[in-house]
């Protein structure tokens, strides 16, 4: 093998140095390129859609013939949003509920009006009934007052001092004209003198006389007769006790008894401090209907 010359060694060294510098430049350029790609993003395959299938890219004419599929958009779910059918059912239910509520309101209003009408009729009926009762009560009172007036008139006539049998010239034993007796005497008494108040009232109480005009019995009975009332009188002339129906009475009518007793208790005699503490006597009432 021939020996290496100085020129060959220099050529080899220059070649090696050149190649080292060349590879160094390539390395620097490659690093700069990689950094540029990293800044811009990731390089992806050529295509015309976000979707695809297969490992080999199709030729241009095949790509043109492939149907362009658009990605299906998923409906965005919404909460509590009814579908069309549900919305129709809801609308129908709402309309039915509104119609029912309207009918119920109409029924309620009608019921209230009927209630008010009945209350008004009842009030009118009560007022009419009260007015009828008032008129009936007034008529009853008027009739009662008329009846009482008639009976009072009859009672007064019964004690008017007139003999019901009638007399043309009078009565007496003196032989003179006139009606012998006292204006306060009893028309049925045969005594021309003695104690009595007239108007059908006589009394028997020794040493005493009427202190005032004795009250007449107040009665509405149609019965007639004589009632003898036993009385007890104190020293002041007050009748403190009266018992009707004693001996000499010609009737047992309880209405006449009651009237005679009430009149006797209201009778006032003159006072007598020398009389007995309780003096017993009688008052006679003659009841005559005219």
């Amino acid at each position: 093998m021939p020996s290496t010359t100085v020129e060959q060694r220099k050529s080899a060294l220059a070649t090696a140095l050149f190649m080292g510098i060349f590879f160094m430049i390539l390395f620097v350029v490659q690093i700069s390129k990689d950094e540029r790609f990293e800044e811009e993003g990731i390089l992806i395959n050529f295509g015309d859609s976000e979707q695809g299938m297969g490992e080999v890219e199709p030729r241009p004419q095949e790509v043109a013939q492939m149907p362009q599929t658009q990605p299906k958009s998923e409906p965005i779910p919404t909460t509590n949003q009814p579908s069309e059918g549900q919305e129709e059912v809801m609308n129908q239910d709402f309309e039915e509920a509104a119609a029912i509520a309207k009918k119920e309101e109409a029924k309620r209003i009608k019921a209230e009006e009927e209630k008010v009408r009945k209350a008004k009729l009842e009030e009118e009926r009560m007022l009419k009934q009260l007015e009828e009762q008032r008129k009936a009560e007034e008529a009853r009172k008027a009739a009662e007052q008329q009846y009482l007036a008639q009976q009072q008139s009859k009672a007064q006539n019964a004690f008017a001092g007139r003999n019901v049998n009638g007399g043309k010239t009078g009565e007496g034993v003196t032989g003179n004209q006139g009606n012998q007796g006292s204006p306060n005497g009893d028309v049925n008494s045969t005594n021309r003198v003695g104690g009595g108040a007239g108007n059908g009232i006589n009394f028997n109480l020794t040493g005493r006389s009427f202190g005032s005009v004795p009250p007449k019995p107040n009665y509405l009975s149609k019965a007639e007769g004589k009632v003898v009332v036993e009385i007890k009188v104190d020293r002041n002339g007050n009748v403190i006790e009266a018992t009707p129906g004693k001996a000499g009475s010609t009737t047992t009518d309880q209405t006449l008894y009651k009237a005679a007793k009430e009149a006797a208790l209201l009778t006032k005699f003159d006072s007598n401090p020398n009389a007995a503490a309780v003096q017993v006597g009688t008052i006679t009432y003659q009841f005559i209907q005219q």
Side-chain angles (χ1 to χ4, degrees):
M1 171 181 286
S3 59
T4 306
T5 65
V6 176
E7 293 294 329
Q8 288 178 340
R9 285 198 296 271
K10 289 182 177 180
S11 296
L13 181 60
T15 301
L17 181 59
F18 177 81
M19 291 301 294
I21 293 172
F22 177 78
F23 281 112
M24 185 177 293
I25 293 172
L26 288 177
F27 180 77
V28 172
V29 171
Q30 182 66 32
I31 290 175
S32 300
K33 185 178 179 181
D34 292 340
E35 290 177 355
R36 180 173 58 81
F37 286 148
E38 287 179 359
E39 292 176 357
E40 294 179 356
I42 301 174
L43 183 65
I44 63 173
N45 189 23
F46 172 78
D48 55 7
S49 173
E50 293 181 358
Q51 301 179 2
M53 183 179 64
E55 297 179 356
V56 180
E57 184 176 341
R59 291 188 294 273
Q61 63 272 17
E62 293 179 355
V63 173
Q65 294 176 1
M66 290 179 62
Q68 299 295 325
T69 60
Q70 297 294 334
K72 297 181 179 179
S73 60
E74 294 291 336
I76 300 175
T78 57
T79 58
N80 299 330
Q81 183 174 0
S83 62
E84 182 178 354
Q86 291 177 342
E87 185 176 358
E88 183 178 355
V89 172
M90 290 178 62
N91 291 336
Q92 185 176 0
D93 292 342
F94 178 77
E95 292 176 357
E96 291 179 355
I100 293 174
K102 188 175 181 180
K103 289 182 179 179
E104 292 296 329
E105 181 66 15
K107 288 182 180 179
R108 186 188 67 79
I109 294 175
K110 186 176 181 180
E112 289 293 334
E113 292 177 350
E114 182 66 16
K115 184 178 180 180
V116 172
R117 187 185 68 84
K118 289 183 178 180
K120 186 176 181 180
L121 290 176
E122 180 65 17
E123 182 180 1
E124 291 177 354
R125 187 187 68 81
M126 291 296 295
L127 291 175
K128 184 177 180 181
Q129 183 177 1
L130 290 174
E131 181 65 18
E132 291 177 352
Q133 291 178 353
R134 185 186 65 81
K135 290 181 179 180
E137 182 66 16
E138 289 180 354
R140 185 189 66 80
K141 288 182 178 180
E144 182 178 355
Q145 290 177 355
Q146 183 179 4
Y147 178 75
L148 289 174
Q150 292 175 352
Q151 296 301 318
Q152 185 68 25
S153 176
K154 291 181 179 180
Q156 291 176 354
N157 292 335
F159 295 94
R162 292 184 292 115
N163 193 321
V164 296
N165 295 322
K168 294 181 179 180
T169 59
E171 181 183 16
V173 293
T174 63
N176 299 319
Q177 292 183 351
N179 193 29
Q180 185 181 4
S182 171
N184 297 326
D186 182 1
V187 295
N188 296 304
S189 175
T190 58
N191 297 321
R192 287 4 185 227
V193 294
N199 296 331
I201 304 175
N202 290 320
F203 76 94
N204 182 10
L205 190 63
T206 304
R208 310 291 284 270
S209 61
F210 285 128
S212 61
V213 177
K216 298 177 181 178
N218 185 14
Y219 73 104
L220 301 177
S221 175
K222 295 182 178 181
E224 294 182 342
K226 182 170 62 175
V227 178
V228 178
V229 182
E230 181 183 81
I231 58 173
K232 293 181 180 180
V233 183
D234 62 13
R235 289 171 178 165
N236 293 325
N238 299 316
V239 177
I240 58 177
E241 186 175 338
T243 305
K246 292 301 180 175
S249 299
T250 60
T251 180
T252 59
D253 186 271
Q254 296 300 314
T255 302
L256 301 183
Y257 277 14
K258 182 175 181 295
K261 179 178 179 179
E262 291 175 351
L265 290 173
L266 295 175
T267 301
K268 178 72 174 177
F269 290 89
D270 60 343
S271 60
N272 186 354
N274 297 323
V278 177
Q279 189 175 356
V280 179
T282 60
I283 300 177
T284 303
Y285 298 93
Q286 184 71 40
F287 294 92
I288 300 173
Q289 290 293 327
Q290 297 296 323

